[in-house]
Amino acid sequence: ELTPTVLLVVASVGLFTFIFAGTLALVMNDIKRILAYSTVSHLGLMMLSLGAGAVGAAIFHLVVHGVSKALLFLGAGSVMHSMDDETDIRKMGGLRRRLPITSWTFVIGAASLAGVVPLAGFFSKDEILLHVLDGRTPIFIVLALAGVVLSALYMARVVLVVFFGAQKDENSGIRESPLVMTIPLVLLAF
């Protein structure tokens, strides 16, 4: 906090990471890679928060992101389990009918990560954006908002393609994962 130049560097690197990794998440077709690049992107958002002097907001987002991402990775695991370890989202589609628990818990995790009200991700991102607005030049808040839109886009893309897209013929025989997988999904979604 005593060296504003260092905080500017931390905020700049965090902002670049937030946008660059978010862009990579938007173009990936592997469900695990989308979630992995999303994690890197949100780590950049946390660094941006630290660079804006918002340590509490960064820690809050770390916890919220951890719960949301645990839910999303477990949901991806449930999808992969049901589809014989397939990870390419282009081979998925219409899974909400076949995997109702997995799909709705995944949607909740994705919505939280995207920052939809009233989920926890909205409040953690809002806190970070308020600190960036107060502590940095206007270009930081504009680019941070672009990164937030980007994170909402890649999460919407994975949800729409995997769960709401056109059902593929080869997916007609799959069914929901066992309770040992769906109970943790429900608990994390809650």
Side-chain angles (χ1 to χ4, degrees):
E1 293 177 345
L2 298 176
T3 55
T5 304
V6 172
L7 288 178
L8 178 63
V9 170
V10 169
S12 299
V13 170
L15 184 59
F16 174 79
T17 304
F18 183 43
I19 293 173
F20 183 68
T23 303
L24 290 174
L26 189 60
V27 298
M28 290 291 138
N29 292 314
D30 184 301
I31 192 168
K32 293 187 306 182
R33 287 182 188 222
I34 294 168
L35 296 178
Y37 281 116
S38 167
T39 299
V40 174
S41 176
H42 281 263
L43 288 171
L45 180 61
M46 292 172 221
M47 296 308 295
L48 172 62
S49 179
L50 292 174
V55 176
I59 298 298
F60 179 42
H61 190 67
L62 176 68
V63 172
V64 167
H65 179 265
V67 173
S68 297
K69 198 51 68 99
L71 174 58
L72 290 169
F73 269 112
L74 282 172
S78 179
V79 168
M80 290 166 47
H81 172 76
S82 298
M83 296 197 61
D84 296 326
D85 296 327
E86 181 60 59
T87 60
D88 190 342
I89 64 171
R90 295 172 294 187
K91 296 180 181 176
M92 302 172 188
L95 297 183
R96 78 180 183 284
R97 291 182 193 95
R98 301 286 178 191
L99 309 173
I101 296 171
T102 299
S103 66
W104 289 111
T105 56
F106 196 95
V107 166
I108 290 169
S112 179
L113 198 70
V116 174
V117 177
L119 302 172
F122 167 79
F123 295 103
S124 66
K125 280 185 178 180
D126 183 58
E127 192 66 26
I128 291 171
L129 292 173
L130 286 174
H131 283 281
V132 170
L133 181 63
D134 286 342
R136 294 281 147 223
T137 59
I139 190 70
F140 276 84
I141 191 64
V142 169
L143 291 175
L145 288 171
V148 168
V149 169
L150 195 58
S151 68
L153 282 175
Y154 62 70
M155 290 316 303
R157 175 180 172 252
V158 74
V159 165
L160 292 174
V161 170
V162 172
F163 298 107
F164 294 91
Q167 184 173 348
K168 310 288 190 271
D169 291 336
E170 60 268 19
N171 297 343
S172 60
I174 67 170
R175 55 179 102 113
E176 186 66 79
S177 297
L179 288 177
V180 72
M181 295 176 81
T182 55
I183 289 174
L185 288 172
V186 171
L187 292 175
L188 283 170
F190 177 73

